[in-house]
Amino acid sequence: MVINPVKGTHDIIGEEANTYSAIEYNCRIVAELFGYQEIRTPIIEHTPLFLRSVGESSDIVTKEMYTFDDKGGRSITLRPELTAGVMRSIVSNKLYANTDLPLKYFYIGPCFRYERPQAGRYRQFHQFGIEAIGSTSYLQDVEVIALGKRVLDSLGLNKVKVLINSLGDDASRENYRAALKEYFAKHIDQMCEDCKRRLEINPLRILDCKVPEDRPIIEGAPKMKDYLSDEARGRFENIIDALKKIDIEVEIDDTLVRGLDYYTGVVFEYHMSEGDDVGAIGGGGHYNNLLKEVGGPDLEGVGLSFGLERLFYVFSKESNEQIYVNGPDFYLMGMDQFAIEQNFTLANILRGTGYAIDMNYETKSFKSLFKIADRKHSKFAVIVGEDEIKNAQLTVKNLKTQEQTTVKVDDMLMVFQSMLKEYVEELEKGETFNG
Ligand code: AMP
């Protein structure tokens, strides 16, 4: 019986995995440039964590969580996002008590949502994200938005737009919520079942409804910007001005509310400005009450996350940056069983010295071995035939330039070192990227 992958999951293999690694590496470097440290939290958490943080009115909680009882009868959920787990970890480890504020963490890892699989939407996907907790300054919000932009720049993605909105402070949002409730109550009979439920729990969620028939009603709804307190409006303007000063242009989108209930203050998303619309590549926002909500002190925070699958998709389509494809340094080619056994000993020595080595175990013609070495993106092929064995030497071929040299086995380590150095120097001139 063939066992298929679980619907909505995907395998990431070989060169694709290299590209994912390179994207993750870029994200990590940018986060470190901005002073963020890595945090790794468990994939499973107690279900109430997400009910309290992501929110009972969100689609994630109402429809999309992978929740099960473990053998001890505890309700466990596979994390649908990582922010909640980071907050839980800050509380569990009392990080706020013994670390300078703001706490600044970045994460990379898988998330799980029972969504309808489609382009750019999986049931297991991966996120890179950051959280900064414990600063009240608007510049902390600006830093997070700028970090996201820097991630995109570092991947050569420049056809990007940044959408931004403010959900205001608690008082502004209460007034807005009341206005929305009054407005939607008049139209709710014509709206979808989800919106009927949202009206009762959290009318703000209706703004995020994707049902096309509901959109005209939503377009006519009161706008958050008309309900912002002077303070909230001032902060939002400060954020936009500060972004402008560092050359980040934003578009104000007053229907942007994001899919998670915990945001207060600024919210934002990164989209491609041209090409296929795969939805938001990333997004985030400010949250006043999240840490308190999960049992921590009253510290506000701001965060963002990118979907790595979406970054991969737009990177593969839009970016001119090249990803270095890992291959062996040397592919050892033996034409018969004796040569193969000699090569095995050689491989052991070379790997011990730090060279990446691959080799053949089945006898094959040199012609097909060269093809294999090429397909594996090997830098050099090392040929061991009858003559080489007789003379205790190796024939080494640079697979880029096709130059061939003979090397004495005794000199091998030294010569290989200089050959590789030369190869890498060529590569750095930008002419000979593998792949
Ligand atoms: P969110 O945690 O909902 O704010 O989503 C942050 C980012 O995660 C989005 O901008 C997407 O790039 C990505 N994302 C969310 N859901 C999915 C999914 N089902 N499949 C792939 N990527 C996703």
Side-chain angles (χ1 to χ4, degrees):
M1 192 184 82
V2 175
I3 299 179
N4 293 315
V6 173
K7 189 171 172 190
T9 67
H10 63 130
D11 302 308
I12 304 169
I13 302 166
E15 287 182 25
E16 202 172 290
N18 271 343
T19 307
Y20 270 86
S21 293
I23 292 172
E24 287 169 11
Y25 178 75
N26 264 60
C27 292
R28 175 183 290 276
I29 295 293
V30 172
E32 284 170 357
L33 279 181
F34 281 71
Y36 288 73
Q37 279 193 323
E38 186 170 11
I39 186 165
R40 298 187 188 208
T41 62
I43 286 171
I44 50 176
E45 296 278 0
H46 290 294
T47 304
L49 173 67
F50 301 110
L51 304 186
R52 269 197 257 164
S53 57
V54 175
E56 304 204 39
S57 74
S58 66
D59 281 359
I60 295 179
V61 165
T62 53
K63 300 189 227 166
E64 297 170 0
M65 293 209 303
Y66 278 90
T67 297
F68 60 95
D69 285 345
D70 73 4
K71 292 190 197 310
R74 304 167 195 92
S75 179
I76 299 291
T77 294
L78 303 186
R79 61 186 185 198
E81 54 103 59
L82 278 83
T83 304
V86 173
M87 296 305 126
R88 199 267 314 134
S89 175
I90 288 172
V91 178
S92 308
N93 298 289
K94 293 199 173 54
L95 297 175
Y96 50 83
N98 47 28
T99 319
D100 287 326
L101 299 180
L103 305 169
K104 297 188 7 170
Y105 296 110
F106 77 88
Y107 57 76
I108 300 176
C111 309
F112 305 83
R113 294 183 194 174
Y114 195 79
E115 292 197 79
R116 198 164 63 77
Q118 49 190 295
R121 198 168 287 285
Y122 297 89
R123 290 185 174 169
Q124 176 174 343
F125 60 100
H126 301 80
Q127 282 189 346
F128 156 76
I130 59 162
E131 311 294 343
I133 301 102
S135 168
T136 54
S137 167
Y138 74 94
L139 286 174
Q140 184 63 71
D141 293 341
V142 175
E143 176 190 279
V144 169
I145 299 169
L147 187 154
K149 183 67 170 48
R150 187 65 70 90
V151 163
L152 297 166
D153 288 346
S154 75
L155 293 169
L157 301 172
N158 38 36
K159 294 179 210 146
V160 174
K161 58 182 177 188
V162 184
L163 305 181
I164 194 167
N165 192 20
S166 172
L167 302 179
D169 48 30
D170 293 344
S172 342
R173 220 172 25 269
E174 270 324 302
N175 291 337
Y176 184 49
R177 210 187 292 264
L180 283 181
K181 201 156 187 167
E182 194 184 326
Y183 170 82
F184 284 121
K186 287 187 230 143
H187 302 277
I188 200 69
D189 291 348
Q190 305 147 50
M191 301 186 80
C192 72
E193 288 309 307
D194 281 338
C195 283
K196 292 195 172 86
R197 191 172 38 79
R198 289 170 184 139
L199 181 63
E200 293 312 312
I201 321 175
N202 182 0
L204 246 110
R205 286 258 64 85
I206 297 180
L207 300 178
D208 208 26
C209 176
K210 303 285 186 291
V211 175
E213 293 75 27
D214 288 359
R215 289 312 303 175
I217 300 174
I218 293 167
E219 302 300 329
K223 301 284 181 262
M224 182 73 225
K225 63 173 186 285
D226 300 324
Y227 290 81
L228 290 180
S229 64
D230 288 345
E231 202 186 332
R233 187 187 319 262
R235 184 177 172 108
F236 189 44
E237 283 166 3
N238 283 341
I239 291 171
I240 293 171
D241 287 347
L243 285 167
K244 214 174 261 164
K245 279 194 193 133
I246 53 171
D247 296 325
I248 298 178
E249 289 294 330
V250 294
E251 271 177 46
I252 297 175
D253 175 349
D254 47 29
T255 62
L256 184 69
V257 288
R258 313 269 307 124
L260 305 117
D261 281 357
Y262 49 66
Y263 290 121
T264 58
V266 70
V267 287
F268 51 90
E269 282 184 353
Y270 306 88
H271 288 254
M272 292 310 285
S273 51
E274 290 172 31
D276 303 351
D277 183 16
V278 284
I281 313 168
H286 187 99
Y287 43 82
N288 276 345
N289 309 315
L290 186 52
L291 194 64
K292 202 169 48 183
E293 209 51 56
V294 301
D298 190 3
L299 294 175
E300 55 197 272
V302 52
L304 68 72
S305 63
F306 281 101
L308 290 179
E309 279 73 7
R310 298 209 188 152
L311 274 180
F312 173 85
Y313 179 82
V314 288
F315 179 82
S316 308
K317 281 204 105 148
E318 306 286 341
S319 179
N320 296 320
E321 301 280 318
Q322 274 178 298
I323 293 293
Y324 178 66
V325 179
N326 277 330
D329 296 323
F330 298 94
Y331 187 81
L332 310 187
M333 308 191 336
M335 61 168 297
D336 58 24
Q337 186 59 23
F338 183 72
I340 289 171
E341 282 166 14
Q342 295 282 23
N343 283 353
F344 193 75
T345 311
L346 214 59
N348 191 43
I349 297 168
L350 289 168
R351 285 177 181 142
T353 323
Y355 295 113
I357 304 295
D358 206 350
M359 59 174 288
N360 66 305
Y361 292 129
E362 326 301 329
T363 46
K364 286 197 166 69
S365 72
F366 278 138
K367 194 168 160 220
S368 49
L369 288 174
F370 270 117
K371 280 194 189 141
I372 293 171
D374 255 337
R375 281 199 295 267
K376 283 182 182 284
H377 301 291
S378 187
K379 300 182 183 70
F380 295 90
V382 177
I383 303 141
V384 181
E386 251 174 73
D387 286 349
E388 282 84 2
I389 288 176
K390 207 165 20 176
N391 303 322
Q393 62 189 30
L394 309 162
T395 301
V396 185
K397 185 167 180 177
N398 181 324
L399 292 175
K400 272 294 172 229
T401 62
Q402 306 298 318
E403 267 170 68
Q404 197 162 298
T405 31
T406 308
V407 179
K408 284 207 157 43
V409 173
D410 285 348
D411 301 338
M412 161 182 90
L413 292 179
M414 227 170 56
V415 179
F416 278 12
Q417 197 180 16
S418 62
M419 287 173 108
L420 261 181
K421 190 161 165 267
E422 216 171 283
Y423 188 99
V424 171
E425 279 166 6
E426 277 298 301
L427 204 113
E428 280 171 357
K429 280 191 212 153
E431 293 157 6
T432 50
F433 253 109
N434 250 348

